[in-house]
Amino acid sequence: MKIVRCQTTSGPRFGVQEGENIRLLRGVPYGGLDFSGTQVKAGEVALLAPCEPSKIVAIGINYAPHARELDFRIPAEPLIFLKPPSAVIGLGEHIVLPAMSSQVDYEGELAVVIGRKTRNVNRAEALQAVFGYTCCNDVTARDLQKKDVQFTRSKSFDTFAPIGPCIETELDPGRVEVTSLVNGSLRQQANTATMIRPVAELISFISGIMTLLPGDIIATGTPAGVGQLHAGDTVSIVIGPIGTLTNPVRA
């Protein structure tokens, strides 16, 4: 099932996309689907970021080839950092290159959307906390990341967390292809089966540190092939069962 969030005449609304139609919901979808009885045509409304996270917890170095390309050691434990909710944008919105940076990179990732309040969950039960999955672009000011050593500034600029186009609730997170294209050219491609740490392990580890809330995002790490974005580019993150997240880039 594909959960979307769209702009309607009554404001932003969640809905379930079924072909060309979106069946609107009365509230948020995490506690169960309460259909309003109204539907709209998908082509007649703008899709927004499919959730409003209180936080984005991102994983660094979760594919071995990406560690090699950045000359990073694979950490003994999951390497986590935060991106602020103010960085979130949706399908079709512009990634804005900040004047402070001269090298902004794309990083295509599978993102987990949490469905219930979660704290100290064990690995065996961790996937029960998942509402669904979406595409994420962990946009990064690479020069600032290297300069600062820690990741906060390089990952936190407004527009640096595109997510969407929907939340797919029926997906095996351990066996999907993650692909990134820039101006239609293939730049990244890997299967999540090659992740160093699977989704259940990540949820369990993070929930032992901080409480995860409905709508929160875990970005599970990017494959090898990251590269620079320039004004005028268009970057797309493709995960077959979810769809394609496309964003233009401007200065």
Side-chain angles (χ1 to χ4, degrees):
M1 179 167 36
K2 287 180 165 54
I3 306 293
V4 297
R5 187 168 154 265
C6 58
Q7 184 65 50
T8 71
T9 55
S10 60
R13 297 278 297 276
F14 284 95
V16 176
Q17 184 162 358
E18 299 174 344
E20 298 301 314
N21 296 316
I22 297 173
R23 297 173 64 197
L24 298 179
L25 303 177
R26 285 197 170 88
V28 298
Y30 310 115
L33 303 183
D34 182 11
F35 289 99
S36 68
T38 302
Q39 66 180 24
V40 295
K41 293 290 185 183
E44 297 176 358
V45 293
L47 291 185
L48 305 171
C51 59
E52 297 180 285
S54 75
K55 54 189 168 293
I56 302 162
V57 188
I59 306 300
I61 313 302
N62 204 23
Y63 292 83
H66 178 54
R68 290 193 291 270
E69 74 177 349
L70 294 186
D71 196 25
F72 271 64
R73 290 184 180 181
I74 295 173
E77 297 177 294
L79 172 63
I80 69 172
F81 57 92
L82 296 174
K83 294 175 79 85
S86 54
V88 170
I89 57 173
L91 175 71
E93 295 186 72
H94 281 85
I95 296 167
V96 180
L97 305 177
M100 196 179 294
S101 172
S102 60
Q103 184 184 349
V104 173
D105 287 4
Y106 57 86
E107 295 190 6
E109 309 193 10
L110 173 70
V112 180
V113 182
I114 297 298
R116 67 187 192 189
K117 188 175 181 179
T118 302
R119 173 71 174 154
N120 287 325
V121 68
N122 63 46
R123 184 170 173 173
E125 298 175 344
L127 292 183
Q128 296 176 25
V130 176
F131 178 71
Y133 301 87
T134 192
C135 304
C136 177
N137 189 345
D138 176 22
V139 183
T140 303
R142 192 72 65 199
D143 53 344
L144 301 183
Q145 183 184 31
K146 293 175 181 177
K147 179 181 179 181
D148 294 351
V149 182
Q150 57 84 40
F151 293 179
T152 302
R153 178 165 64 144
S154 68
K155 301 283 191 174
S156 297
F157 288 95
D158 289 354
T159 77
F160 271 27
I163 56 174
C166 70
I167 302 168
E168 175 55 65
T169 62
E170 300 172 15
L171 181 148
D172 178 357
R175 294 186 179 276
V176 291
E177 291 285 327
V178 179
T179 301
S180 300
L181 304 103
V182 177
N183 303 325
S185 297
L186 180 65
R187 300 295 178 85
Q188 293 181 288
Q189 189 167 40
N191 195 289
T192 56
T194 65
M195 290 196 304
I196 296 167
R197 295 180 174 89
V199 167
E201 179 180 347
L202 298 176
I203 295 171
S204 179
F205 180 80
I206 294 165
S207 74
I209 301 165
M210 65 189 80
T211 300
L212 296 167
L213 301 176
D216 281 354
I217 291 282
I218 297 174
T220 60
T222 195
V226 299
Q228 189 169 1
L229 293 170
H230 301 90
D233 285 345
T234 299
V235 56
S236 297
I237 314 303
V238 184
I239 301 176
I242 300 169
T244 301
L245 170 66
T246 297
N247 297 94
V249 181
R250 66 175 175 86

